[in-house]
Amino acid sequence: MKTKGKIIINDVGPRDGLQNQKKHLSVDERVALINALVAAGLPAIEVGAFVSPKAVPAMAGTDEVIHQLEAKDKVAYSVLIPNERGFSTGVELNVPLMSLVVAASTTMNEKNIRMTTNQALSMSSDVLALATQLNRRVQAYVATAWECPFEGHISVDEVIKVSAALLDAGAAHIVVADTIGAASPDQVHVLMSKMVSEFGANKLSCHFHDTRAMGVANVYAAIEAGIRQFDASIAGLGGCPFAPGATGNVATEDVVLLVEQMGYSTGIDMGLLLAASDKAKALTGTARGGHAKTWLEQQENKRGSK
Amino acid sequence: MKTKGKIIINDVGPRDGLQNQKKHLSVDERVALINALVAAGLPAIEVGAFVSPKAVPAMAGTDEVIHQLEAKDKVAYSVLIPNERGFSTGVELNVPLMSLVVAASTTMNEKNIRMTTNQALSMSSDVLALATQLNRRVQAYVATAWECPFEGHISVDEVIKVSAALLDAGAAHIVVADTIGAASPDQVHVLMSKMVSEFGANKLSCHFHDTRAMGVANVYAAIEAGIRQFDASIAGLGGCPFAPGATGNVATEDVVLLVEQMGYSTGIDMGLLLAASDKAKALTGTARGGHAKTWLEQQENKRGSK
């Protein structure tokens, strides 16, 4: 069937999803979850973070996870790095894509990484310069792009300013992140329309949480604005340990269902994606599954019984 | 605060929501739920159905519910009627608004009311003629307006044809219903844009289920198309007993949160709405609450503790 084109989904469950869970999974369990996502056809997966295991114990052993990854020629695996030290680890381990994070809110940067926005941009620029020199792909998350739990509403101009600085410094891609799940679809449409006209859609993706039940609506609004790449989290796992009120990421299952029904192709097999969702639930004990879970399971059962 | 204007929400929990529950509430329990919605400021509530208590036991005693209603001068109470007999009961009981249902799919009409679409339109036209003569307000639901579980995709032309026939016959209003929760927001935008240009937004509202996790996205898409009236169900109660795969209606809490954040006013108090949601859950034992429940409760607790 001819589609409207591709939408690329990056599953952040193994990092953003697991990072905030009370129960910490073992390296083998994390690899098993990643492999379930690979089997389902996810084209991109965030597999860990090179951060202090004391600060974020759930991400300890990311280096071991990297060693065990399969299908490295097929899947865009990425790792979160907080700084140049993380970048060096990524280079050593030959991680194909690394992600820096800068918040569009100075207070959020101060609370999260103890830097002002300008200091964070300066630190990121140093890493990006090094990445350019070493020919490594590093992308940048612009966090709290709509609202900050401390500062409130973030202006479109601020997000564009921070994004432009990161792209100028050599970021391969900008992920515009609604870190605390505060954006509404009209706000998403306004910002992402301006971002697309400023930077082009192929430089951009969006990251939504479902805190206010608007995650799927926000994906739709971003698609209408031209965005064709999204983060999502298997079974809706997730949250942000530093942002009060941030609950689960928008579920991969729900996003795949939306975009496929809209006529885009993702390359993802829904039956195997539901199996990955079940695995996420079994491993963590807390994953809720997508909101469309009951219906999706009915469809798979019908398909299976034919 | 100046808003973009009003959005009217009609809570269908006490009818569409309760109709599909395994546990049948008593008349007093149903009135208690309705009163909780009135207290929260709902401007419109669907309170029952004049249908056979054998076919739909959950709606037995709707006449007693009507007798106990309060604030009749403030709330647009409505009752579902299947036919002229239901209309006569509504006239006797002085119900201010009655709702007929015609599916845009012939197979759905045949399964649901054992008539073809033309027969259903003819029957509805007779009721609407009588309503015009007696100066009574009767609106019409156009069910399965996007997809029918038996026929699949329904054409925009068919929905416009059925709607035009009902408006010509005297329907006060058309409620375009995604009875089985199958529509995606792009499909909603296409149909509702055409409906608005054909009939005007003030003649229209939308009714969505959250089966495929697109309920909130569909409300957003309909707002973008100009719609300003929506059905929603407290705590996401609901479903359709005659449509396989139809799970809960989009939750009133989630819709109010969306439209208020978009800058529209609903006149609804979120704290009291959450109390009504808790009551729905306590009474039925099954209501899930809106997807944004955890976050909304946190906000109310913060507000309460200030």
Side-chain angles (χ1 to χ4, degrees):
Chain A
M1 198 177 86
K2 195 160 162 57
T3 73
K4 284 186 191 166
K6 277 197 175 181
I7 283 187
I8 294 173
I9 295 174
N10 173 42
D11 200 300
V12 299
R15 201 283 301 171
D16 198 13
L18 294 181
Q19 182 168 325
N20 206 28
Q21 298 288 314
K22 279 179 189 161
K23 185 181 168 194
H24 299 155
L25 303 195
S26 71
V27 165
D28 285 352
E29 288 171 324
R30 285 153 64 193
V31 171
L33 179 59
I34 292 163
N35 286 343
L37 293 168
V38 171
L42 263 297
I45 304 172
E46 190 184 36
V47 295
F50 297 137
V51 288
S52 154
K54 276 187 192 162
V56 188
M59 289 298 106
T62 291
D63 53 341
E64 295 173 56
V65 171
I66 303 282
H67 284 307
Q68 293 189 43
L69 293 176
E70 294 167 10
K72 286 186 185 175
D73 53 333
K74 287 181 190 155
V75 182
Y77 292 116
S78 63
V79 171
L80 191 78
I81 56 169
N83 49 33
E84 199 177 313
R85 192 168 154 191
F87 173 75
S88 300
T89 309
V91 171
E92 275 168 38
L93 294 168
N94 212 14
V95 173
L97 179 61
M98 288 175 267
S99 306
L100 287 164
V101 181
V102 177
S105 141
T106 271
T107 315
M108 189 68 180
N109 284 317
E110 284 166 354
K111 297 262 182 187
N112 200 350
I113 54 175
R114 293 175 197 173
M115 295 184 192
T116 65
T117 301
N118 282 337
Q119 287 169 332
L121 282 175
S122 167
M123 181 276 287
S124 297
S125 296
D126 291 346
V127 176
L128 290 165
L130 201 56
T132 305
Q133 194 192 317
L134 300 177
N135 203 21
R136 299 282 175 163
R137 271 177 72 80
V138 175
Q139 67 181 359
Y141 277 73
V142 177
T144 59
W146 283 272
E147 191 173 315
C148 163
F150 311 107
E151 288 189 15
H153 180 71
I154 301 294
S155 77
V156 167
D157 288 348
E158 189 62 23
V159 179
I160 288 181
K161 200 188 79 184
V162 170
S163 302
L166 290 162
L167 284 169
D168 286 348
H173 196 91
I174 298 291
V175 187
V176 186
D178 181 22
T179 313
I180 59 165
S184 51
D186 54 322
Q187 296 167 330
V188 168
H189 196 267
V190 167
L191 176 59
M192 295 320 297
S193 298
K194 290 200 181 164
M195 290 287 284
V196 167
S197 73
E198 194 79 22
F199 305 115
N202 64 350
K203 285 280 178 198
L204 300 169
S205 79
C206 283
H207 174 107
F208 296 116
H209 286 244
D210 202 34
T211 318
R212 300 191 192 181
M214 298 179 205
V216 171
N218 288 344
V219 172
Y220 167 69
I223 293 171
E224 291 301 293
I227 299 300
R228 296 291 179 270
Q229 296 193 46
F230 293 94
D231 281 3
S233 176
I234 188 69
L237 280 175
C240 170
F242 304 106
T247 48
N249 293 63
V250 63
T252 306
E253 305 92 295
D254 291 345
V255 174
V256 172
L257 180 62
L258 171 78
V259 306
E260 295 264 354
Q261 186 168 333
M262 284 180 74
Y264 297 94
S265 61
T266 62
I268 294 169
D269 179 286
M270 187 55 86
L272 293 170
L273 191 66
L274 290 176
S277 179
D278 288 343
K279 184 168 278 291
K281 190 169 185 176
L283 290 170
T284 63
T286 58
R288 63 167 164 80
H291 295 313
K293 195 164 188 274
T294 307
W295 183 80
L296 285 168
E297 284 170 352
Q298 282 173 0
Q299 302 309 303
E300 286 306 314
N301 289 342
K302 271 188 216 167
R303 224 173 53 166
S305 66
K306 266 175 195 167
Chain B
M1 198 177 86
K2 195 159 161 59
T3 73
K4 285 186 191 166
K6 279 197 174 181
I7 284 188
I8 295 173
I9 296 175
N10 174 42
D11 201 299
V12 299
R15 201 283 303 171
D16 199 15
L18 294 182
Q19 182 168 325
N20 205 28
Q21 299 287 314
K22 278 180 189 160
K23 185 180 167 195
H24 300 156
L25 303 195
S26 70
V27 165
D28 285 352
E29 287 171 325
R30 285 153 66 193
V31 170
L33 178 59
I34 292 163
N35 286 343
L37 292 168
V38 172
L42 262 297
I45 304 171
E46 189 184 38
V47 294
F50 296 137
V51 287
S52 154
K54 276 187 193 163
V56 189
M59 288 298 106
T62 291
D63 53 341
E64 294 172 57
V65 171
I66 303 283
H67 285 307
Q68 292 189 43
L69 294 176
E70 294 166 10
K72 285 187 185 175
D73 53 333
K74 286 179 191 156
V75 182
Y77 292 116
S78 63
V79 171
L80 191 78
I81 56 169
N83 48 33
E84 198 175 314
R85 193 169 152 191
F87 172 75
S88 300
T89 309
V91 171
E92 273 167 40
L93 293 168
N94 212 15
V95 174
L97 179 61
M98 289 175 267
S99 306
L100 287 163
V101 181
V102 177
S105 141
T106 271
T107 316
M108 189 68 178
N109 284 317
E110 284 165 355
K111 297 262 184 189
N112 200 349
I113 54 174
R114 294 176 197 172
M115 294 183 193
T116 64
T117 300
N118 282 337
Q119 286 169 331
L121 283 173
S122 168
M123 181 275 289
S124 296
S125 295
D126 290 347
V127 175
L128 290 164
L130 201 56
T132 306
Q133 192 192 319
L134 300 178
N135 203 23
R136 300 283 175 161
R137 270 177 73 79
V138 176
Q139 67 181 0
Y141 278 73
V142 177
T144 60
W146 283 273
E147 191 173 315
C148 163
F150 312 107
E151 288 189 14
H153 180 70
I154 300 295
S155 77
V156 167
D157 288 348
E158 189 63 23
V159 178
I160 288 180
K161 199 187 78 181
V162 170
S163 302
L166 290 162
L167 284 168
D168 286 348
H173 197 91
I174 298 291
V175 187
V176 186
D178 182 22
T179 314
I180 60 165
S184 53
D186 54 322
Q187 296 167 330
V188 168
H189 196 266
V190 167
L191 175 59
M192 296 320 298
S193 297
K194 291 201 180 163
M195 291 287 284
V196 167
S197 74
E198 193 80 20
F199 306 115
N202 65 349
K203 285 281 180 196
L204 300 169
S205 79
C206 282
H207 174 106
F208 295 117
H209 286 244
D210 202 34
T211 317
R212 300 190 192 181
M214 299 180 204
V216 171
N218 288 343
V219 171
Y220 167 70
I223 292 171
E224 291 301 293
I227 299 299
R228 296 293 179 267
Q229 296 193 46
F230 292 94
D231 281 4
S233 176
I234 189 70
L237 280 175
C240 170
F242 304 106
T247 48
N249 292 64
V250 63
T252 306
E253 304 93 295
D254 291 345
V255 174
V256 172
L257 180 62
L258 171 78
V259 306
E260 294 263 353
Q261 186 169 332
M262 285 181 73
Y264 297 93
S265 61
T266 62
I268 293 168
D269 179 286
M270 186 55 85
L272 292 171
L273 190 66
L274 290 176
S277 179
D278 289 342
K279 184 169 279 289
K281 190 168 185 177
L283 289 171
T284 62
T286 58
R288 64 169 164 79
H291 296 313
K293 196 164 186 274
T294 307
W295 183 79
L296 285 169
E297 285 170 351
Q298 283 173 359
Q299 301 310 303
E300 286 305 312
N301 290 341
K302 273 188 212 165
R303 224 172 53 165
S305 66
K306 267 177 190 163

